Amino acid sequence: MDNPISQEYILQTMREFIETPSPVGYYKETIPLLERYANELGYQVEFDRKKTGYIKVPGKDTDRTICVGAHMDTLGLIVRRIDKDGMIRTRNLGGINYNNIEGETATIVTRDGRRYTGLVTSQSHSVHVFDDARTLERNETSMMIILDEPVTSEEDVRSLGIRHGDTIYLDPRFTVTPNGYIKSRFIDDKACVACALSVIKYMKENNITPSCNVWFAFPYYEEIGHGGAYVPPEISQYIALDIALIGPDYDGGEDKVSICAKDNFSPYDYDLTTHLIEVAEKNHLNYAVDIFYRYGTDANAAIRSGNNVQAAAFGMGTFCSHGVERTHISGVMETAKLLAAFLQEA
């Protein structure tokens, strides 16, 4: 092939989307970024009422349309209370592990666009002060944000424009090692967003027309279970690109693409999953087939909501999900290659 899938483009795209905040429900900053990427590739983005973005690529069979979904939302927090001493208490947006975010930098975005950084910490924040600093359970009750501002009261905080319901995002700390390991928050699912865009670029540069119409979808509510709840009626298959898990029960790894046969809700469509396995084998990809516990995707959200679609899911093996995650560029590339091959045979 003249223009293979670009590893450099995937890493550049992943970094830019990861470093652009989009905690659950907050789409103000990634919408223009997605529009810019689509325009550079020669496409427009269409949005539904939930702000899911669609890049629509025509196929050879124009009577059939499939959806490839890579969710844009990430884990985050939201202001639930301002304490009398100016500390900020939060609720989670998605499955935050509070043990994992202690000591992280957080940024609060007010409704009028002001931003304030702070430190996520336990209320028993020092072993020199609190007897239970090591043993206190880290949860919504015990964790708080200390603003990087000279505030000592609720009134001080409110004078900054901070209110209940303001969105909070975490510092992602994106890093790529010289030997290809990617460490960052929000690899879930910005790595898959990058894969989707890289495959659109690859097909464009090589004049490849997919076998049928493909709508690349970028939803915002996957982390709370309803990103794929609405599926346009034209779509017959929903393929979720999402990170894959690594653990004692699994065959996947950071250098592989994992095809999910079942998640915590349901098996994925038998024929569609089998076809993905056949495509992976035909193209000599480094892949695994696994079932995942405490895990779901927008594809099965689509099924749960009663949409008449076949569902499937695959993605790169990723350590430490919902924390500072780690994968390898090899697994990301295998994911993109599987997607590109599948779309030519779907």
Side-chain angles (χ1 to χ4, degrees):
M1 71 182 65
D2 294 332
N3 295 292
I5 296 171
S6 170
Q7 177 174 307
E8 180 182 359
Y9 182 84
I10 284 185
L11 286 173
Q12 165 209 313
T13 305
M14 192 189 314
R15 176 188 288 273
E16 191 162 10
F17 275 92
I18 283 176
E19 292 182 346
T20 303
S22 57
V24 177
Y26 182 73
Y27 43 74
K28 303 294 286 184
E29 298 181 50
T30 44
I31 279 180
L33 182 60
L34 179 62
E35 289 176 321
R36 194 196 89 206
Y37 268 82
N39 290 338
E40 290 170 353
L41 295 171
Y43 293 95
Q44 299 293 315
V45 186
E46 299 178 22
F47 296 93
D48 63 23
R49 293 184 182 92
K50 290 176 66 176
K51 304 300 184 183
T52 297
Y54 299 92
I55 298 175
K56 299 179 179 181
V57 179
K60 295 175 182 176
D61 180 358
T62 57
D63 293 328
R64 191 163 71 90
T65 302
I66 66 174
C67 179
V68 174
H71 68 88
M72 194 70 77
D73 61 312
T74 67
L75 304 180
L77 300 165
I78 193 167
V79 176
R80 73 174 167 94
R81 190 180 84 208
I82 303 169
D83 285 349
K84 297 303 180 183
D85 61 358
M87 301 302 177
I88 292 175
R89 304 292 180 147
T90 66
R91 294 270 187 234
N92 66 313
L93 294 172
I96 285 281
N97 177 354
Y98 281 91
N99 294 285
N100 183 275
I101 67 172
E102 186 169 12
E104 190 60 89
T105 294
T107 301
I108 299 173
V109 184
T110 66
R111 293 282 173 173
D112 60 5
R114 285 177 278 180
R115 293 168 194 265
Y116 301 97
T117 62
L119 178 70
V120 182
T121 185
S122 162
Q123 61 191 23
S124 296
H125 51 81
S126 172
V127 295
H128 297 105
V129 179
F130 299 97
D131 290 338
D132 62 348
R134 291 186 175 91
T135 59
L136 181 66
E137 182 180 352
R138 271 55 175 172
N139 55 35
E140 287 186 348
T141 301
S142 64
M143 299 294 284
M144 61 190 186
I145 294 176
I146 305 172
L147 283 175
D148 299 330
E149 300 288 335
V151 295
T152 58
S153 68
E154 179 182 358
E155 291 72 23
D156 289 343
V157 174
R158 289 189 179 275
S159 71
L160 300 174
I162 295 172
R163 299 290 184 269
H164 294 184
D166 285 345
T167 297
I168 304 168
Y169 63 87
L170 301 170
D171 186 352
R173 296 192 281 117
F174 183 90
T175 303
V176 182
T177 68
N179 59 349
Y181 287 96
I182 304 163
K183 297 182 289 185
S184 181
R185 296 190 188 278
F186 318 136
I187 289 172
D188 178 10
D189 197 29
K190 300 293 182 68
C192 290
V193 170
C195 284
L197 292 169
S198 72
V199 168
I200 296 172
K201 180 176 185 288
Y202 160 78
M203 292 192 298
K204 189 84 169 183
E205 290 178 344
N206 290 281
N207 296 313
I208 294 170
T209 302
S211 62
C212 64
N213 299 331
V214 183
W215 291 13
F216 292 86
F218 304 92
Y220 283 93
Y221 299 93
E222 191 276 345
E223 294 292 0
I224 58 173
H226 68 87
Y230 168 73
V231 179
E234 298 91 337
I235 291 169
S236 60
Q237 295 177 339
Y238 196 117
I239 295 91
L241 300 185
D242 212 332
I243 64 163
L245 307 181
I246 294 174
D249 288 344
Y250 307 140
D251 286 335
E254 293 166 289
D255 59 341
K256 298 179 183 180
V257 55
S258 292
I259 299 167
C260 182
K262 180 190 180 300
D263 65 14
N264 66 347
F265 170 70
S266 170
Y268 286 86
D269 183 80
Y270 189 89
D271 288 339
L272 184 53
T273 301
T274 300
H275 182 48
L276 283 169
I277 295 169
E278 291 169 349
V279 171
E281 291 182 345
K282 178 180 176 180
N283 289 274
H284 309 291
L285 299 179
N286 188 11
Y287 81 98
V289 180
D290 273 318
I291 66 170
F292 296 138
Y293 179 55
R294 294 195 179 116
Y295 174 97
T297 71
D298 278 334
N300 257 341
I303 296 296
R304 290 197 306 274
S305 298
N307 293 285
N308 185 22
V309 294
Q310 294 175 299
F314 64 89
M316 63 292 299
T318 306
F319 267 107
C320 305
S321 60
H322 282 198
V324 177
E325 298 161 335
R326 196 185 82 165
T327 190
H328 194 275
I329 188 58
S330 298
V332 177
M333 293 299 295
E334 293 297 282
T335 299
K337 290 174 184 176
L338 178 55
L339 176 61
F342 170 76
L343 293 182
Q344 295 174 67
E345 301 183 23

